Amino acid sequence: MWLKPEEVLLKNALKLWVTQKSSCYFILQRRRGHGEGGGRLTGRLVGALDAVLDSNARVAPFRILLQVPGSQVYSPIACGELLNGSDVYWAIATGATLEEINQHWDWLEQNLLHTLSVFDNKDDIASFVKGKVKALIAEETSSRLAEQEEEPEKFREALVKFEARFNFPEAEKLVTYYSCCCWKGRVPRQGWLYLSINHLCFYSFFLGKELKLVIPWVDIQKLERTSNVFLTDTIRITTQNKERDFSMFLNLDEVFKIMEQLADVTLRRLLDNEAFDLDPDLQEPSQITKRDLGARAQNEFFRAFFRLPRKEKLRAVVDCSLWTPFSRCHTAGRMFASDSYICFASREDGCCHVVLPLREVVSIEKMEDTSLLPNPIIVSIRSKMAFQFIELKDRENLVEGLLERLKQVHANHPVHYDTSASDEDMTSPVFYSTSLCSGHKFGDLEIVSSQSSEEHEDESSPLHPGPLTSVFQQSGSQSPDSRLVGEAALACCALGTGGWVVTTSREQIKISLWSDHFVEYGRTVCMFRTEKIRKLVAMGIPESLRGKLWLLFSDAVTDLASHPGYYGNLVEESLGRCCLVTEEIERDLHRSLPEHPAFQNETGIAALRRVLTAYAHRNPKIGYCQSMNILTSVLLLYAKEEEAFWLLVAVCERMLPDYFNHRVIGAQVDQSVFEELIKEQLPELAEHMNDLSALASVSLSWFLTLFLNIMPLESAVNVVDCFFYDGIKAIFQLGLAVLEANAEGLCSSKDDGQALMILSRFLDHIKNEDSPGPPIGSHHAFFSDDPEPYPVTDIADLIRDSYEKFGDQSVEQIEHLRCKHRIRVLQGHEDTTKQNVLRVVIPEVSILPEDLEELYDLFKVWKSGKKRELRALSLAQPTAPSLPKREHMMSCYWEQPRPGVLRHDPSRPYAEQYRIDARQFAHLFQLVSPWTCGAHTEILAERTFRLLDDNMDQLMEFKAFVSCLDIMYNGEMNEKIKLLYRLHIPPALTENDRDSQSPLKNPLLSTSRPLVFGKSNGDTVDYQKQLKQMIKDLAKEKDKTEKELPKMSQREFIQFCKTLYSMFHEDPEENDLYQAIATVTTLLLQIGEVGQRSSSSGSCSQECAEDLQTSAPSLEQDCVFVDPGKTPQDSQAFPESAEGDWTVSLEHILASLLTEQSLVNFFEKPLDIKSKLENAKINQYSLKTSEMSHQSQPELKLSNL
C-alpha cells in the first residue's frame, strides 16, 4: 500500500528492521519477527512491542524507503547496516505480505528507476517520486472510499491489513478499526479490533503467537457494557457458547455505539427482512461507513423523538435558541431540519419542543444580525405565528437549504386557503389550521384543494361524516344534558366564548384550561409543546377535542392535508375484493367494542370495515393484524372516518414500528425492554417473580391494544391521550405504575395464575371520574366471586403517578434499550424456527439430531447470515468457524440478491422459511455430499438441484436438501441407485446439460459384444443364462404400487456411467470398482440391445437368445466406449436410426449392479457425515472467498426451468 511520503529515522531503527533489497534510490525492509522461521528472541520481542504499542510501525511488516544519492540525506546501505551519513529517509510504501510489497517494488523498478537517472538536481528526484506516490494514493483512495474517513492514510493502511489477515472477499467492507484489548478470563491480549459490515474481527500478534477472532454480527446474542476484575468499563460480546470482553482506554462510547448500529443493521437486514426497510444510504452494505452509521443513529433518534415518517431524512442539526413567548426569553436547544420538517428540542428535557411541517411554513427570512440577536432567522407559518431562531452557525447555507426544501414541498403539495374569514373569526379560540385537505375545518379557516370539496364528496364513497360518538350515544338512560355532549362534539363548539353546557363541571374546567393554553402556546400542529401541555394531557383530553388533538400530536393532520382524496380512492379500490385479509377483517368486525352502541349496528361496522380494508390495501406488508380492529374502533369514536384512517397510519407505521406484522417483532422487543425496566425500577418485584415471562404474557396485550382491551373504555382513552402525546414511553411508565400499585399483592401471590388475577381485577376497576358518559366495562376482564367491593382507582391518579415515579425515561434511552433487546428477540425467533424445523424433519430422516442441527446452521448461514467465532492461532493452521446458518447468510453478505426472489419468508411454514438457490446449493453439495466426483461434482449438483426443485421456482428448502442427503448417507443400495438413476433422466438431465455435449451424435456404444468377460485368474464367467433370468425376475418383483420411472435412453445412460466412474476416483478399491463397472456397463448395453431388438421383432425371448448366441466371444473387447478416431465394424452394428429405441430401466441397472460384490460393498458401506461437517467448518470460508473472486463469471444457468 502506498503511503504519503514521510520522513523516518533509521539511526535507532536497524534493530527493528532488516533490509531485504536495495537500489540506488529505494530500500525494501522487513520488520524483525515477521517471516523468521527460527522464531528468535529478537523477533519475538519486536512482535510483542508491535502488539502493545499503538503505533504506525506495528501495522507494517514490510516497507519501502526512498533514498536519494548525493542529497543531504543520502547514506549508503550495505548488508543491512547503516554507514556514515545522515539518517533521514522517506517511507513511501508498506505491505502486509512479501508478495504485496514486491509488487510495489517491481512497479518502482519498471516505471521510475530508469527515469530518475535523467535528473540533474538530486533534490528534484525526491520531489518527483513523492509526487508520483501521492498521485497513486489519490487514485487508490477514490476506489477504496477511504476519502470518506477522517484519516484516509491510516484507514487505507488498516484496510490492507484487514484484507490480508482475514481473507474476506472484497465486498466485505471495513467500517472502522480501533486499538483494543481482548480479555480471556483475566488474561488480556493487546491487538486491533476491526469492525466490518458483517463481522467483528480481532487480531493480535504477541510473543510470536498470532490470534484471530471473527464474530459475525448475526451470531451475537447480547451486546452490553459491563466490568471485570481489572476494569470498570468493558464491552461484552455474548454468542451462543462464549463471552468475549473488549476494553480500550479511549473511544469506548464510540465503539459501543458503532457495534450496536452494525449489529442492529445486520440482524434486521438478514433476519427481519419481513418488516425492515433499510435507510437509502445503507441499502448497499459495501458502501457503509462510520459516518453513515452515525447519521442513521441520529436519523432514528430524530424520527422517534418527534414521531415523524420513516421517509424523513435529517439534513441538518444545529445548535440555536428559540424565542418562547410564554417564558419571554430565548430557550437554548437544537434545530433539526429534514426533508419536510423543521423541529426544535430544548436542551432541558421536556422544557419545550416544536414541530413545524414545511407545508405550514409561509416564509423563512434572515433578520439583521445584532449583538442581542446574533444570526437570527424568522419562520412564519400560515396561522399567523412566527418563530424566531438565533445563534445559528452557518446561517447562510442553512437558510438556503431550508428555502430549497420549502419550495419543493409547496411544489409537490400545493395548498390554497380561504382568506374570506373575518379577523374576528381568525382570532377566535378555535382550531384554525391549513393542515387540512378539502372539506375539513378546524373552525372558520377552511383549506381548499385544487379540486372542489363538494364535487369530491358527491363522487366519493359514502363515508361517515363525523366521529361515531357524536351520533351514537352510549347505552342506558340519557339525559338531555348527555345528548348535549354529542352535539357539542359534532359541532366542534367554540371554546372559551361562552361555549356549550356540558354534563360535568370537570369537563367544562378542562375545556377552559385548554382554551387558555391554545391562546398562549398555539393551537395548530406548530404549537409549543411543554411540560404544561403534558399535564393537561395527563388529566384527560375533553371529549370534544380528543380526536382533533390526536391528529395534531401524531402529525396525522399533515398526512391528511398532503393526500386529498387518497382515502376515498383506497376505499373504492379495496371494497368488494375478497382475499384472506378481508376474511380476517370480516371475522373480527363484530368483536370490536361490541359493548359500545356505535358497533352494534351496520353504520359503525361499515365504517370500521372501510378503514381496515383501505389500510390493508395501502400497506399489504402489514395487511391486517389482530388488535388493529380494537384500535381503529376507538379512533372512529373520536375522529372522522378519514381522520381515523390517517391516525391508524401514524400508529402502525411511525409510533409503533414493527408491531403489526406476522411476528409482532416490535411488540416483543418492547416486552423485553419492559422486563428490564421492571428489574431496574421494581427490583423487589423482579426478585420475587424470578420468571417475568408470566408478566410478559399478560402485558403484551397492554402494548398491542394500548390498554383499550384491558381496562374500561372511558379510562383507556385517557391512556391513548398520553400515548399520542408521549409515544410508547407513556405505555412503559403506565405499565410500571400498574405493577407498582399491585407490588404487594404480586409479591405475596403463590403462583402465576393468582398474580394474573390480581392484575386483571385491578385493571377492571380503574374508573374515569371525569367521563361525561356512563361507564363501559372491559369485556375481557376477569371477575372475582369475592362479595366484598374491590377498591376503585382513578385513571387520572394512576397516570399522574406514572409520570411522577417513572417518567424520567428519555426517548434516547428507550431507543437504546430497543436496539439492545432487538438482538435477543430476533435470535430467540431464529432459535424457535430452528427447533420447529428440526422437529418436523427429524422423524423423516435417519441423520442424528445433532448432525441435523449442524446441517441447518450450515444451510441457513450460506443463505442469509450467521457465523460463529473463527479462531486461528497461526496463519499456517487457521481454525475456521463453527457453523450456524452459513449458506443463507453468506449470500446476503456478499451477493446481490436477484430481483423478485424472496429467500427468507417468515410467513411460510417453518421448514420452508429459508431457501437457497442453485449456486448456493452447489457450494453446499461440494461441502457435505458423500458423492464427490472431482470436476464432475458441480455438474452432479446442478442435476440434483433440478431434481429437488419440484415447483421450479429455482429455490430449495431445507427439508428437501436433508432428505436428499439422508439417502446418500443412510439409504439402502436400491434407494441410492434410484436417486442416481433419477439424476440422469429428465427433469434432472436436460438437453442443454453442461456435460451432455460429449460426442453422442455418432454411435459411441458397441452393443454387439459378448457377455463373457476375462477375470484376473484366467477364468471366464458366462452371463448369457443369467440375463434372461434377471429380466423375468425383475418383471415379477416389480412393485405395482410405485409409480414407474421412465426408461433411460442411450444418451442418459452414458451420463450415468460417467458419474459412476467419477465417484470411484481415489477410492481405495478403485481398480476393482472400475473392473466391476466395466462388466456391469457391458451387461447393461446388451440388455438395452435385447430390448431394442425384441420390440422391433415382437418376439423378445427368442431373438434375445439368438442374438446372444451369434455374438462371438472376444476377451479383447471389454471397452465400453468406442474410440472415435477409429471406425470399427462394431460401430456399424448400432445405426443412428435405432439410437432412440435403445432403453434400459432402473430394475435392469439395479439387478446388474447386484452381480458385482465390489459395487454392492461401495454403495452399502457406512458413511460418516460428521467428518464432512468438520471439513465444511474448515473449508467453507475459503470456498466462498474463492467463488467471490470469480464473480465476473456468468451465473449458473438452469435449463428448462
Side-chain angles (χ1 to χ4, degrees):
M1 181 184 67
W2 300 108
L3 293 178
K4 181 180 179 180
E6 57 182 13
E7 292 185 357
V8 296
L9 299 177
L10 297 184
K11 188 171 185 180
N12 299 317
L14 289 180
K15 294 181 180 179
L16 303 179
W17 294 90
V18 177
T19 298
Q20 297 282 97
K21 298 180 182 180
S22 64
S23 66
C24 297
Y25 301 99
F26 304 106
I27 304 172
L28 190 155
Q29 293 185 325
R30 172 179 56 81
R31 185 79 163 171
R32 291 187 185 273
H34 293 271
E36 294 179 349
R40 289 184 287 179
L41 179 61
T42 304
R44 292 192 176 187
L45 290 176
V46 173
L49 180 65
D50 287 346
V52 173
L53 295 180
D54 184 9
S55 62
N56 291 335
R58 61 163 295 184
V59 295
F62 298 94
R63 68 179 184 181
I64 295 177
L65 304 180
L66 168 66
Q67 62 174 357
V68 181
S71 69
Q72 296 180 358
V73 296
Y74 169 68
S75 47
I77 291 197
C79 300
E81 297 296 334
L82 182 67
L83 302 181
N84 295 329
S86 177
D87 53 359
V88 179
Y89 284 68
W90 287 281
I92 59 174
T94 60
T97 63
L98 184 60
E99 291 77 13
E100 179 188 357
I101 203 68
N102 279 334
Q103 289 179 1
H104 293 330
W105 181 268
D106 294 340
W107 188 93
L108 291 172
E109 286 187 332
Q110 296 172 10
N111 296 278
L112 290 185
L113 195 59
H114 300 294
T115 307
L116 297 181
S117 59
V118 303
F119 285 90
D120 296 329
N121 189 339
K122 303 303 182 182
D123 292 333
D124 291 342
I125 295 177
S127 299
F128 176 76
V129 173
K130 288 189 286 185
K132 281 289 186 181
V133 171
K134 289 178 181 178
L136 292 172
I137 291 174
E139 182 180 352
E140 184 178 310
T141 295
S142 60
S143 62
R144 293 280 189 174
L145 298 175
E147 74 279 4
Q148 299 181 14
E149 307 300 327
E150 296 177 357
E151 298 180 282
E153 297 287 341
K154 293 183 178 180
F155 184 81
R156 289 173 53 255
E157 192 173 349
L159 179 62
V160 170
K161 285 300 180 184
F162 171 74
E163 294 174 346
R165 287 168 175 168
F166 299 101
N167 196 31
F168 286 126
E170 188 176 352
E172 180 67 4
K173 170 75 168 57
L174 177 65
V175 176
T176 188
Y177 66 101
Y178 298 93
S179 174
C180 81
C181 187
C182 178
W183 293 77
K184 185 178 181 181
R186 297 185 178 182
V187 180
R189 288 292 298 263
Q190 181 67 33
W192 287 94
L193 182 69
Y194 299 92
L195 306 180
S196 67
I197 55 175
N198 296 305
H199 303 84
L200 179 151
C201 305
F202 177 80
Y203 176 84
S204 174
F205 183 85
F206 190 79
L207 294 178
K209 290 187 177 181
E210 197 171 40
L211 172 68
K212 293 182 184 180
L213 295 176
V214 175
I215 306 176
W217 295 116
V218 287
D219 260 2
I220 295 176
Q221 297 183 342
K222 187 183 293 186
L223 179 62
E224 58 187 343
R225 293 179 67 165
T226 182
S227 60
N228 60 22
V229 179
F230 303 99
L231 294 174
T232 58
D233 201 2
T234 61
I235 298 174
R236 175 165 295 172
I237 307 246
T238 304
T239 56
Q240 187 173 1
N241 299 317
K242 291 185 179 180
E243 289 183 351
R244 294 284 183 182
D245 290 342
F246 296 90
S247 64
M248 54 201 69
F249 293 106
L250 301 173
N251 304 317
L252 190 70
D253 291 336
E254 177 183 311
V255 173
F256 185 72
K257 289 180 180 179
I258 293 177
M259 285 184 175
E260 273 192 329
Q261 286 285 310
L262 285 169
D264 185 56
V265 168
T266 307
L267 276 168
R268 297 178 73 181
R269 175 167 57 91
L270 302 181
L271 304 184
D272 190 29
N273 53 11
E274 174 192 10
F276 178 55
D277 294 323
L278 208 59
D279 292 340
D281 290 341
L282 305 180
Q283 291 287 355
E284 175 53 53
S286 63
Q287 304 299 316
I288 295 177
T289 65
K290 184 168 71 172
R291 187 180 307 168
D292 293 332
L293 293 174
R296 175 182 182 266
Q298 200 169 40
N299 262 314
E300 292 203 336
F301 167 77
F302 164 70
R303 290 191 293 257
F305 187 86
F306 296 103
R307 294 185 295 282
L308 300 180
R310 184 167 185 81
K311 65 181 181 180
E312 284 301 310
K313 182 177 180 181
L314 195 58
R315 298 297 181 178
V317 180
V318 293
D319 292 329
C320 65
S321 295
L322 172 65
W323 173 255
T324 49
F326 54 87
S327 62
R328 298 184 180 278
C329 67
H330 284 90
T331 301
R334 288 191 298 175
M335 174 193 288
F336 300 83
S338 68
D339 294 329
S340 305
Y341 291 86
I342 300 173
C343 302
F344 174 84
S346 60
R347 290 179 184 173
E348 183 181 350
D349 188 28
C351 176
C352 173
H353 72 272
V354 176
V355 177
L356 306 177
L358 290 181
R359 181 182 175 81
E360 291 291 306
V361 175
V362 175
S363 64
I364 301 174
E365 300 174 317
K366 293 180 289 185
M367 295 177 58
E368 183 180 354
D369 187 8
T370 66
S371 58
L372 295 177
L373 299 175
N375 297 324
I377 67 171
I378 295 291
V379 178
S380 302
I381 63 174
R382 298 183 188 276
S383 55
K384 294 189 175 180
M385 287 183 64
F387 296 84
Q388 182 189 79
F389 297 89
I390 63 171
E391 299 176 344
L392 291 160
K393 295 181 179 178
D394 197 14
R395 182 179 62 165
E396 300 296 329
N397 290 333
L398 176 65
V399 171
E400 182 180 352
L402 290 174
L403 289 174
E404 182 178 349
R405 291 191 289 275
L406 177 64
K407 181 180 179 181
Q408 185 67 38
V409 168
H410 285 182
N412 293 338
H413 303 287
V415 175
H416 308 281
Y417 58 98
D418 186 5
T419 58
S420 61
S422 64
D423 293 340
E424 182 180 355
D425 292 333
M426 296 280 285
T427 57
S428 63
V430 297
F431 286 98
Y432 59 91
S433 172
T434 61
S435 297
L436 293 175
C437 63
S438 60
H440 288 79
K441 290 185 181 180
F442 279 2
D444 295 321
L445 185 59
E446 180 180 2
I447 303 306
V448 182
S449 68
S450 57
Q451 295 179 347
S452 170
S453 60
E454 295 180 358
E455 293 177 0
H456 176 70
E457 289 179 2
D458 292 340
E459 297 173 359
S460 63
S461 302
L463 306 182
H464 196 267
L468 294 179
T469 51
S470 64
V471 178
F472 297 95
Q473 302 302 320
Q474 297 170 350
S475 60
S477 61
Q478 294 184 350
S479 64
D481 289 340
S482 65
R483 287 193 297 272
L484 285 175
V485 178
E487 296 172 4
L490 178 62
C492 242
C493 64
L495 306 176
T497 59
W500 295 86
V501 179
V502 292
T503 56
T504 65
S505 58
R506 291 188 180 182
E507 186 81 356
Q508 192 171 16
I509 292 172
K510 288 182 182 179
I511 292 176
S512 178
L513 291 173
W514 277 98
S515 176
D516 295 339
H517 186 275
F518 294 145
V519 172
E520 187 174 5
Y521 293 86
R523 64 189 71 250
T524 70
V525 68
C526 305
M527 68 173 66
F528 290 96
R529 308 184 191 200
T530 66
E531 191 64 31
K532 182 177 179 180
I533 197 172
R534 179 177 283 117
K535 292 179 180 178
L536 288 175
V537 171
M539 291 169 57
I541 298 176
E543 296 276 317
S544 56
L545 305 180
R546 178 164 279 134
K548 302 303 180 184
L549 284 173
W550 286 356
L551 283 168
L552 296 183
F553 293 156
S554 64
D555 196 38
V557 66
T558 301
D559 290 333
L560 178 65
S562 302
H563 300 82
Y566 177 81
Y567 174 69
N569 293 334
L570 276 182
V571 170
E572 293 177 1
E573 294 173 5
S574 60
L575 285 183
R577 295 192 178 186
C578 184
C579 60
L580 181 60
V581 171
T582 57
E583 292 176 3
E584 293 177 355
I585 291 174
E586 290 296 327
R587 189 166 55 245
D588 288 345
L589 286 177
H590 294 279
R591 305 174 187 174
S592 308
L593 300 185
E595 70 279 5
H596 198 286
F599 299 99
Q600 294 172 358
N601 62 83
E602 186 56 30
T603 303
I605 295 296
L608 180 60
R609 178 187 294 112
R610 287 192 294 269
V611 173
L612 291 176
T613 307
Y615 183 78
H617 189 67
R618 162 190 165 87
N619 191 345
K621 183 179 289 188
I622 291 178
Y624 169 76
C625 295
Q626 287 188 349
S627 77
M628 286 175 65
N629 59 321
I630 304 295
L631 174 62
T632 308
S633 300
V634 175
L635 298 178
L636 284 168
L637 291 178
Y638 297 98
K640 296 179 182 180
E641 189 174 321
E642 186 172 7
E643 295 171 350
F645 170 80
W646 287 110
L647 284 170
L648 181 64
V649 170
V651 172
C652 294
E653 299 176 11
R654 299 206 300 264
M655 304 185 72
L656 294 178
D658 299 343
Y659 262 60
F660 303 99
N661 56 44
H662 178 71
R663 299 188 293 175
V664 291
I665 293 292
Q668 294 188 53
V669 170
D670 283 348
Q671 279 296 291
S672 187
V673 172
F674 187 56
E675 291 180 16
E676 179 166 336
L677 293 177
I678 293 174
K679 295 176 182 178
E680 291 179 1
Q681 304 288 343
L682 304 171
E684 295 181 1
L685 177 61
E687 183 179 355
H688 174 76
M689 302 190 72
N690 295 326
D691 186 8
L692 294 176
S693 60
L695 288 179
S697 65
V698 68
S699 61
L700 179 62
S701 60
W702 301 357
F703 289 83
L704 284 172
T705 66
L706 306 179
F707 286 92
L708 289 170
N709 217 24
I710 308 303
M711 61 176 65
L713 179 61
E714 67 273 9
S715 302
V717 291
N718 283 29
V719 178
V720 180
D721 294 341
C722 298
F723 168 75
F724 275 115
Y725 184 77
D726 270 323
I728 196 62
K729 171 186 173 181
I731 308 300
F732 280 124
Q733 63 193 31
L734 185 65
L736 292 172
V738 169
L739 295 180
E740 195 263 347
N742 294 273
E744 184 178 350
L746 292 173
C747 289
S748 60
S749 61
K750 298 179 181 180
D751 53 38
D752 294 342
Q754 185 178 357
L756 298 183
M757 181 64 71
I758 291 172
L759 290 175
S760 298
R761 292 184 63 199
F762 175 82
L763 290 167
D764 188 54
H765 288 81
I766 295 177
K767 305 301 180 184
N768 186 356
E769 301 295 340
D770 298 343
S771 177
I776 299 178
S778 170
H779 67 285
H780 286 281
F782 296 95
F783 293 94
S784 174
D785 295 332
D786 191 349
E788 297 182 4
Y790 193 86
V792 174
T793 303
D794 185 54
I795 185 63
D797 295 336
L798 185 64
I799 291 176
R800 184 178 63 253
D801 289 344
S802 73
Y803 275 103
E804 291 177 354
K805 297 178 180 180
F806 308 107
D808 55 348
Q809 293 290 332
S810 67
V811 173
E812 188 172 11
Q813 289 172 322
I814 291 175
E815 290 302 308
H816 166 70
L817 290 174
R818 278 178 162 178
C819 183
K820 171 184 175 181
H821 287 276
R822 189 178 295 111
I823 295 174
R824 188 187 68 82
V825 170
L826 288 175
Q827 295 289 16
H829 269 278
E830 294 305 304
D831 291 340
T832 301
T833 301
K834 178 179 177 179
Q835 296 306 320
N836 282 292
V837 170
L838 295 180
R839 186 168 63 249
V840 171
V841 175
I842 284 175
E844 301 186 13
V845 297
S846 302
I847 300 176
L848 295 177
E850 56 268 26
D851 295 333
L852 267 181
E853 187 173 349
E854 291 262 315
L855 279 171
Y856 176 82
D857 292 338
L858 182 66
F859 180 91
K860 183 177 176 184
V861 168
W862 272 79
K863 157 73 180 100
S864 113
K866 239 182 160 215
K867 308 178 186 97
R868 291 191 192 237
E869 272 185 81
L870 165 66
R871 188 178 180 203
L873 293 178
S874 68
L875 285 174
Q877 294 181 336
T879 303
S882 61
L883 296 181
K885 316 174 189 159
R886 300 266 180 237
E887 177 64 55
H888 173 85
M889 300 301 184
M890 286 187 178
S891 71
C892 289
Y893 284 168
W894 302 314
E895 296 177 15
Q896 294 297 323
R898 290 181 292 170
V901 176
L902 181 62
R903 300 176 180 175
H904 179 208
D905 185 0
S907 64
R908 296 173 65 90
Y910 283 111
E912 301 175 9
Q913 285 191 10
Y914 286 97
R915 297 174 291 171
I916 57 176
D917 62 19
R919 182 168 57 181
Q920 296 156 9
F921 176 81
H923 297 319
L924 271 181
F925 192 89
Q926 294 180 55
L927 287 173
V928 299
S929 171
W931 293 351
T932 53
C933 308
H936 194 66
T937 304
E938 186 176 352
I939 297 169
L940 188 62
E942 292 180 33
R943 296 171 183 168
T944 306
F945 184 87
R946 281 193 287 262
L947 177 65
L948 299 179
D949 185 19
D950 293 332
N951 57 1
M952 303 181 70
D953 62 353
Q954 303 186 38
L955 294 172
M956 181 192 302
E957 65 269 8
F958 177 69
K959 186 177 179 181
F961 169 70
V962 172
S963 299
C964 178
L965 279 183
D966 186 50
I967 294 175
M968 295 179 181
Y969 279 98
N970 304 313
E972 300 291 339
M973 178 178 177
N974 61 325
E975 294 176 325
K976 295 179 180 179
I977 299 303
K978 182 178 179 180
L979 176 60
L980 276 172
Y981 185 90
R982 295 179 64 196
L983 291 177
H984 294 84
I985 60 175
L989 186 69
T990 66
E991 292 293 334
N992 298 323
D993 191 280
R994 280 201 291 161
D995 197 47
S996 64
Q997 303 305 321
S998 53
L1000 297 177
K1001 296 182 180 179
N1002 297 321
L1004 295 179
L1005 296 179
S1006 176
T1007 56
S1008 299
R1009 59 179 70 251
L1011 293 180
V1012 181
F1013 300 94
K1015 297 297 182 181
S1016 57
N1017 56 6
D1019 298 333
T1020 61
V1021 177
D1022 188 356
Y1023 288 97
Q1024 294 181 11
K1025 296 181 180 180
Q1026 295 183 22
L1027 177 60
K1028 292 169 62 177
Q1029 187 62 38
M1030 275 191 293
I1031 296 176
K1032 293 178 181 179
D1033 293 341
L1034 288 171
K1036 294 178 181 179
E1037 297 176 1
K1038 185 176 180 180
D1039 186 5
K1040 300 299 182 181
T1041 61
E1042 184 178 355
K1043 183 180 179 181
E1044 183 178 0
L1045 291 173
K1047 292 186 177 182
M1048 184 177 284
S1049 68
Q1050 184 189 83
R1051 167 182 169 272
E1052 294 160 356
F1053 179 69
I1054 293 176
Q1055 296 302 317
F1056 180 83
C1057 295
K1058 185 172 182 178
T1059 299
L1060 289 178
Y1061 271 90
S1062 302
M1063 289 174 62
F1064 302 149
H1065 183 58
E1066 295 184 356
D1067 189 274
E1069 306 295 330
E1070 182 177 353
N1071 292 333
D1072 292 340
L1073 289 171
Y1074 282 155
Q1075 175 98 18
I1077 196 60
T1079 301
V1080 170
T1081 302
T1082 308
L1083 177 61
L1084 288 170
L1085 290 173
Q1086 282 287 288
I1087 293 175
E1089 183 178 343
V1090 168
Q1092 174 187 352
R1093 295 183 180 181
S1094 299
S1095 60
S1096 61
S1097 66
S1099 55
C1100 175
S1101 58
Q1102 294 180 0
E1103 293 195 17
C1104 175
E1106 293 174 0
D1107 290 340
L1108 292 176
Q1109 292 173 0
T1110 57
S1111 299
S1114 174
L1115 297 179
E1116 298 177 358
Q1117 294 181 348
D1118 77 336
C1119 179
V1120 177
F1121 298 100
V1122 175
D1123 186 354
K1126 300 178 182 180
T1127 56
Q1129 293 182 350
D1130 286 343
S1131 64
Q1132 302 298 324
F1134 189 70
E1136 290 186 37
S1137 60
E1139 182 178 354
D1141 299 327
W1142 189 100
T1143 59
V1144 67
S1145 68
L1146 170 64
E1147 290 77 11
H1148 294 149
I1149 293 177
L1150 182 59
S1152 302
L1153 291 174
L1154 289 173
T1155 62
E1156 293 292 333
Q1157 188 61 42
S1158 59
L1159 295 177
V1160 174
N1161 294 339
F1162 177 83
F1163 284 105
E1164 290 190 347
K1165 66 181 178 182
L1167 300 173
D1168 183 19
I1169 194 174
K1170 292 184 183 294
S1171 59
K1172 278 287 184 178
L1173 292 175
E1174 290 299 324
N1175 287 332
K1177 295 177 185 180
I1178 299 174
N1179 297 328
Q1180 58 186 324
Y1181 265 103
S1182 59
L1183 179 63
K1184 188 66 182 181
T1185 304
S1186 174
E1187 182 249 336
M1188 292 302 298
S1189 65
H1190 296 86
Q1191 277 192 340
S1192 58
Q1193 297 180 359
E1195 187 178 352
L1196 171 67
K1197 297 184 182 298
L1198 301 179
S1199 303
N1200 298 338
L1201 287 182

